[in-house]
Amino acid sequence: MPFRKHSKDDFKLETLTEKCVHCPAKFLFKSWLVRHLSRHVDIDKFNCMDCELTFKSNKEMEYHHNRCHTGLKPFACDECDAAFHAPNTLHNHRRRRH
């Protein structure tokens, strides 16, 4: 029997017991609610060492630091001499140029 995707109809409103205190959203599992709550709470834990900006993840802070403060470009294209501060920028380059 093949897998099928869930639809919103699969989850009846009565089963969505985990409620957000900030908006009308409801969830089946507490873990889904916890993930959702991060949208409402401004949790910036990672501070740039050279300026006052803060970030939600260490990776975001590193990419900012590379781009704005050090000029470091550790993500090199293996098909040309281009290099980038973050992997997504390298990925976009490869898609557009090669």
Side-chain angles (χ1 to χ4, degrees):
M1 179 169 164
F3 289 105
R4 74 176 178 84
K5 286 188 172 183
H6 290 289
S7 71
K8 286 187 176 183
D9 295 335
D10 291 338
F11 300 105
K12 304 289 183 224
L13 285 177
E14 305 83 50
T15 62
L16 303 177
T17 58
E18 302 297 331
K19 299 173 186 170
C20 179
V21 295
H22 301 286
C23 73
K26 296 178 182 180
F27 301 92
L28 185 61
F29 301 109
K30 188 169 189 159
S31 60
W32 293 0
L33 171 62
V34 169
R35 183 175 53 197
H36 166 81
L37 285 172
S38 69
R39 292 179 178 202
H40 295 296
V41 180
D42 202 15
I43 309 172
D44 291 340
K45 299 179 186 172
F46 298 90
N47 299 324
C48 177
M49 52 202 95
D50 291 323
C51 69
E52 69 280 353
L53 291 178
T54 59
F55 300 88
K56 288 183 175 40
S57 74
N58 190 46
K59 285 285 183 211
E60 285 181 62
M61 189 274 298
E62 285 177 4
Y63 298 154
H64 156 79
H65 192 258
N66 290 345
R67 184 178 69 251
C68 297
H69 301 298
T70 67
L72 185 64
K73 297 181 177 182
F75 301 94
C77 179
D78 53 3
E79 296 185 43
C80 69
D81 292 334
F84 303 93
H85 71 280
N88 61 320
T89 316
L90 172 59
H91 175 74
N92 292 338
H93 162 80
R94 286 181 178 151
R95 246 187 27 229
R96 292 180 183 133
R97 305 282 177 169
H98 301 294

